Structure formats: structure tokens, C-alpha cells
Amino acid sequence: LQRDWERTGTSTARTEAVAYSSNVYSSSIDMRQRGSSVSQPSRTVESKRGPLPRYTSKTWVLGLLLNYAGEVCGNAVALSYLSASVVAPVGIVSVLVNVLLAERLLGERITSNQKFGFTVIVAGVACILLVAPRSAGATDATQFVYMVQTSGIALFFGLLYVVQLLLMLVIRNGRQSLFVYVLVASIFGTMNVMVSKIMTMYVRLKMAFAGLPNPADIVVYGAVGAVSSATVTLPRALVALIMGVSVIGQESFRQQALGKYPVMQFQPVFFATYNVVATLSGLLLFKELDGWMHALVFFSVFSIGIGLILYGSRFLQKAKSVVLPSHIKLQKDNLLKSQ
């Protein structure tokens, strides 16, 4: 419509162009309404009730189960050998796969700008991996007990739950944004990662040191009072509850965000935020940096990497809508009101 208006020189020609454009617009609306009313009569009841929840889809449930099977068999095992600052950035693979599937299955078109954005994101991940600590954590029972005792994980989780409560109150009060949803999901995911790292490390060391006490008991009772048997204790039950709440909370807020924002907007922002929270939490709890110089180099390059990820994410946003001239916009609004 904008091109037609600019091409026509005289006022008479412009008037004819506006009339023609309005008729085309009106006809297209009429044809769309007729087509929808004729070809899709069965959706009337469904549209009144609203879309069915995702959990009613067998395909969605299967995909969710496969997702967490990959988390357990892949990420959790890797965390017992490597730092979270190494494992988390490798999750870029999931971002790329999500984008390809979104294009194939959801019809989301990938533009040249978005391809450039993904290239920048990959470069940011490469920067993080270059300086990420390669420490595997504890290698024997003594180191493991000391690491758990000095981690301060109980206090750390308490602070995270306070932050989560405040963020959920923000969402409940209507101040919703993509970043708030992403931050809540990232914190829940980080809690799950920290617990998974400790528990998988415990399972690995337990095979070599049969008398190794459970880390949950070490946090609550100390190394001396911890129980090394297979009995169910209150701290172990609390750990299971924390993991369950973390998984449900992360998936709940992820699905809420995906219901409001496109996959190609949500996934890169979630990836960047999750990397920051998980990496900093791992470095803080498990003291993986060797001195101030290592910390200075790591945080400098890590900041560059996160900056590249966020910069690349800007190219994944939706294209801006075209602004119509006021005279055409007025006719369009009048047509919509008359339908």
C-alpha cells in the first residue's frame, strides 16, 4: 500500500489507488472469514474453550521425557567430571537444534540476520569454553567431604529461594517480561545442576569408597554425624524434594514463556542467562578458580562471551512491523470495525 501511494503522482490517481487498496483489503478480509467459516466449522467449540493444555499431547509428554532422560544420562554424568562452566555452554547444541526444528515443524522462518545472530552466539560460547576451568572437582573421599562441608550450599539455596519468591510475586502482579520468565527458569535449572553435580560425583566416588557418607547428611549433620548407610533420612528427602521442585519449576516457567514468546526469542536469552547463573554458582560453591589472576582472566573473557551471546540474541528478535500512512491505517481500522 505504501508503494502504491508513493508511485501515484496526481491526487486523482492517489484517490484511485487508495480506493483500489481498500477494496483489495476488504476482499481479503471477507475471503479469509468465508474460508474459515466454511473450511473449519469444527474449531468453533475448541476456540471458545481455548487451546488444550500441552500436557494433553502425547507427543509433548514424550518429548519432555526424552529431554530429561538426556539431562540425566548426559549433563548429570558430565557434571561429575567437569565444571559447570564447561558443561553449560555446550548446551548451545540444544539452541541450534531448537532453531532447526522450529523452522521445520513450527514454520518459523530463519532470516539472514538471525543466521548472523546464531554465528555470534556460537563465537560467544567458544570464548567461554576457552577459559572455563577444567577441574573435575573432588577425586577422593576426603576432598569430596571437605568440598561439601565448605560449599555453603544450604545458605546459597535459601537465598535463591528468596529471590525466586520475589520474582514470582513480580510475575503475579502483572509485571511480566521475557527476562523475568527466563531468570526464574534459569535459577531453577541452576539449582538442579548444582544438586546433580554433587550427587553424580557422590555416586562415582561411592564405587571406590564404600564408606563415603551421603552429601545431604554431610551438609546437615557434618562429616562425623553423617550416615553412610542406605537408610532414608530427612536431609535426603529434602534433596529429593528440592530436585523435584526445581525440575517442575523450571519446566513450568519455560512453558509459560514459550506460550508468550517465539522459540527463537526465548531460547538464546534463556541460554545466556542460564550460563551466567549456573557458571557463577558453580565457581562460588566449588571454588574452581585458581587464584586472582585466573579469576581476572576468566571473568574478563567470560564477560566478552556473554556480551557476544546477548548481542547475537538481538538479531533473533521479530522484524519490526511496517507503519502504514495515516489515511490507509484509518481505512483499515474502519474496515475491521465494520466486519
Side-chain angles (χ1 to χ4, degrees):
L1 298 179
Q2 176 69 33
R3 290 196 199 101
D4 291 341
W5 177 258
E6 291 174 350
R7 278 199 218 114
T8 55
T10 64
S11 59
T12 304
R14 286 182 176 177
T15 304
E16 291 175 356
V18 171
Y20 174 77
S21 302
S22 301
N23 290 334
V24 171
Y25 189 84
S26 177
S27 299
S28 64
I29 292 176
D30 186 54
M31 289 298 290
R32 265 187 240 161
Q33 288 183 342
R34 288 180 185 178
S36 62
S37 62
V38 173
S39 60
Q40 298 176 342
S42 60
R43 294 191 178 180
T44 305
V45 177
E46 181 181 346
S47 62
K48 290 181 179 178
R49 294 178 181 175
L52 294 175
R54 287 190 176 93
Y55 58 79
T56 59
S57 169
K58 293 181 180 179
T59 304
W60 183 86
V61 173
L62 177 61
L64 186 64
L65 293 176
L66 290 175
N67 176 43
Y68 281 100
E71 290 282 344
V72 173
C73 299
N75 281 358
V77 175
L79 284 167
S80 69
Y81 292 96
L82 298 170
S83 166
S85 58
V86 175
V87 177
V90 176
I92 185 63
V93 176
S94 69
V95 177
L96 299 177
V97 172
N98 268 307
V99 170
L100 294 176
L101 293 179
E103 184 183 28
R104 294 289 183 87
L105 302 179
L106 303 180
E108 295 187 10
R109 190 171 67 89
I110 302 178
T111 65
S112 57
N113 277 347
Q114 289 170 334
K115 291 178 181 178
F116 173 75
F118 283 115
T119 304
V120 175
I121 290 173
V122 172
V125 171
C127 288
I128 296 174
L129 292 177
L130 282 175
V131 295
R134 299 295 188 270
S135 173
T139 56
D140 57 44
T142 304
Q143 289 182 3
F144 179 76
V145 172
Y146 177 77
M147 181 191 73
V148 175
Q149 274 188 311
T150 58
S151 65
I153 192 169
L155 177 61
F156 182 71
F157 272 34
L159 293 175
L160 288 184
Y161 273 118
V162 172
V163 173
Q164 291 291 69
L165 180 61
L166 294 176
L167 290 174
M168 285 187 278
L169 288 175
V170 169
I171 293 176
R172 186 177 179 84
N173 290 332
R175 299 177 183 177
Q176 302 176 4
S177 67
L178 175 59
F179 181 71
V180 175
Y181 282 107
V182 162
L183 187 56
V184 174
S186 298
I187 293 176
F188 274 128
T190 296
M191 295 170 73
N192 198 22
V193 165
M194 297 300 106
V195 174
S196 297
K197 180 175 179 65
I198 292 177
M199 295 307 298
T200 51
M201 196 183 302
Y202 165 72
V203 172
R204 177 169 61 85
L205 293 174
K206 184 75 171 178
M207 297 178 182
F209 306 95
L212 183 65
N214 189 284
D217 295 330
I218 295 175
V219 171
V220 177
Y221 304 125
V224 178
V227 181
S228 59
S229 64
T231 57
V232 178
T233 61
L234 179 60
R236 298 180 191 185
L238 287 175
V239 168
L241 179 63
I242 289 173
M243 292 194 71
V245 170
S246 299
V247 170
I248 295 172
Q250 180 187 17
E251 199 56 44
S252 174
F253 283 94
R254 278 179 60 185
Q255 294 304 320
Q256 289 182 56
L258 287 170
K260 297 175 180 291
Y261 306 96
V263 174
M264 285 189 287
Q265 278 186 277
F266 167 80
Q267 197 67 20
V269 179
F270 172 73
F271 177 74
T273 308
Y274 171 71
N275 265 279
V276 171
V277 180
T279 298
L280 295 181
S281 299
L283 296 176
L284 179 64
L285 290 177
F286 306 119
K287 303 172 180 64
E288 296 171 338
L289 295 176
D290 301 324
W292 287 104
M293 184 58 66
H294 186 196
L296 179 62
V297 173
F298 172 79
F299 284 114
S300 299
V301 181
F302 180 78
S303 300
I304 294 173
I306 293 299
L308 287 173
I309 291 173
L310 294 176
Y311 177 71
S313 299
R314 294 176 56 188
F315 291 89
L316 308 183
Q317 310 305 313
K318 279 186 171 182
K320 294 181 179 179
S321 57
V322 177
V323 179
L324 297 176
S326 58
H327 60 280
I328 297 179
K329 185 175 183 300
L330 179 61
Q331 290 204 19
K332 184 191 78 169
D333 293 340
N334 291 335
L335 285 170
L336 290 175
K337 289 177 183 179
S338 64
Q339 298 298 322

